[in-house]
Amino acid sequence: MTSPTSGAEQPAPYGTGPVPQAKTAGRIRIHHLQQAKDEGRRFAMLTAYEQYAAEIFDEAGIEVLLIGDSASNNVYGNETSLPVTVDELLPLCRAVSRSAKRAFILADLPFGSYEVSAAQAVETSVRFLKEGGAHAVKMEGGAFYADTVRAVVQAGVPVMAHIGFTPQSEHSLGGYRVQGRGDDARRLIEDAKALEAAGAFAVLMEMVPADVAASVDAALRVPTVGIGAGSSTTGQVLVWQDMAGLRGGKMARFVKQYADLRTILGTAAREYAADVRGGTFPGSEHSF
Ligand SMILES: Nc1nc(=O)c2c([nH]1)NC[C@@H]1CN(c3ccc(C(=O)N[C@@H](CCC(=O)O)C(=O)O)cc3)CN21
Ligand SMILES: CC(C)C(=O)C(=O)O
Ligand SMILES: [Mg+2]
């Protein structure tokens, strides 16, 4: 193979020198996630909605950052993920994609932005890549969405499918409940296979019995990601404010809390306020 750098050293003609690769060098891509499955390794995914979380998780080696529609109830103050819009998620996606150098950037399609037609799904997905800087999108839904997945993939947008408990359908599913128990296990496996056949590069399962999730993972060539789906999936995902203990209140069973940021930030804010009220902040070292 010949390359511009082989043979005798010659000045490169203008415009043919090496292209800077900083933007993509070392970037996690879909084939790395596939390799993880093929070689029996697991990968980690977290949500991220802004600059510092994105930078910190990227530097920590988290392979996939998800701009989740869970921004609805973790950023925008809604009770559920239903109200959040494309126009609200796009700026968060842009902030994360600007801030992460290595992670694969995955954007959730919010409720109402892809269900109407395959054309609507393609239009919304393209916006997340063009305007949000995402590398792929995730959408909720089973085999019924296979044609939609196929259309988006054909347009050049990789798709992660999301099955099991799909929070955008909580009112159809009758609440926040484990999916795929008993006879429903077979349907979950068929959904996953149909979505893989439609071109999904991965399948995420939420709140599915561990043995059923293991069967789905075994039935698929592509990697799986789990949240409340046991330890047999290729990857795992958590909402970062749950994982880091920033969010208060009762946590779902599938959450493991690795830090207590809510207490740390609350203590910092109380100490700051006390210093201000007591006149000890700012000190002379903070003054001009
Ligand atoms: N902060 C946050 N964390 C999440 O994991 C999350 C969001 N927000 N927003 C969108 C969806 C909603 N999700 C949720 C939220 C709560 C439960 C929950 O309360 N589960 C209970 C009941 C399970 C059952 O009885 O079947 C649990 O104890 O796990 C589950 C999924 C997951 N996603
Ligand atoms: C919980 C994960 C899988 C998600 O879809 C989200 O954060 O929106
Ligand atoms: Mg979501």
Side-chain angles (χ1 to χ4, degrees), residues 47 49 66 68-70 108 138 162 204 206 227 237 239:
T47 64
Y49 315 98
L66 170 68
D69 61 337
S70 54
D108 246 348
K138 177 164 80 59
H162 179 157
L204 182 146
E206 178 164 350
I227 175 166
V237 61
V239 168

Side-chain angles (χ1 to χ4, degrees), residues 29-245:
R29 289 180 175 277
I30 288 167
H31 68 268
H32 295 115
L33 306 177
Q34 183 65 54
Q35 267 168 21
K37 169 135 186 185
D38 295 343
E39 296 167 9
R41 285 179 283 108
R42 294 183 175 88
F43 62 83
M45 169 164 148
L46 280 175
T47 64
Y49 315 98
E50 40 72 45
Q51 177 175 357
Y52 297 129
E55 282 178 7
I56 291 164
F57 302 154
D58 191 61
E59 286 165 12
I62 301 298
E63 282 91 349
V64 184
L65 297 183
L66 170 68
I67 298 82
D69 61 337
S70 54
S72 184
N73 59 293
N74 293 289
V75 174
Y76 286 109
N78 299 310
E79 265 186 37
T80 70
S81 56
L82 300 196
V84 83
T85 65
V86 172
D87 289 339
E88 287 173 322
L89 286 185
L90 273 173
L92 310 187
C93 188
R94 198 152 54 234
V96 169
S97 63
R98 281 175 181 149
S99 306
K101 295 188 174 69
R102 177 174 175 271
F104 187 81
I105 309 298
L106 179 65
D108 246 348
L109 299 186
F111 184 53
S113 74
Y114 62 97
E115 298 91 337
V116 174
S117 65
Q120 187 203 26
V122 171
E123 283 181 3
T124 304
S125 300
V126 165
R127 286 192 72 188
F128 275 101
L129 268 62
K130 287 185 81 158
E131 300 172 46
H135 304 143
V137 300
K138 177 164 80 59
M139 66 179 83
E140 298 184 6
F144 188 76
Y145 279 93
D147 289 341
T148 301
V149 169
R150 195 172 290 109
V152 174
V153 170
Q154 251 163 42
V157 180
V159 175
M160 180 184 289
H162 179 157
I163 62 172
F165 176 62
T166 46
Q168 293 173 13
S169 324
E170 67 153 289
H171 299 297
S172 300
L173 297 174
Y176 288 15
R177 302 157 64 156
V178 174
Q179 303 291 313
R181 281 199 166 123
D183 291 346
D184 287 348
R186 200 181 313 276
R187 193 180 46 78
L188 201 76
I189 295 169
E190 291 314 313
D191 281 347
K193 283 184 179 170
L195 292 159
E196 176 182 69
F201 74 91
V203 174
L204 182 146
M205 289 174 275
E206 178 164 350
M207 282 209 288
V208 168
D211 60 326
V212 176
S215 300
V216 170
D217 183 76
L220 298 186
R221 183 189 60 84
V222 297
T224 56
V225 177
I227 175 166
S231 60
S232 296
T233 53
T234 320
Q236 293 288 332
V237 61
L238 285 175
V239 168
W240 87 257
Q241 291 92 340
D242 296 349
M243 181 279 300

Side-chain angles (χ1 to χ4, degrees), residues 231-283:
S231 60
S232 296
T233 53
T234 320
Q236 293 288 332
V237 61
L238 285 175
V239 168
W240 87 257
Q241 291 92 340
D242 296 349
M243 181 279 300
L246 186 62
R247 181 169 78 84
K250 189 180 173 297
M251 298 287 176
R253 176 180 163 86
F254 55 71
V255 173
K256 180 172 176 182
Q257 201 183 308
Y258 289 88
D260 189 6
L261 293 197
R262 195 178 182 90
T263 302
I264 291 171
L265 274 180
T267 300
R270 281 183 190 86
E271 286 179 8
Y272 162 71
D275 280 2
V276 170
R277 289 169 194 139
T280 57
F281 177 82

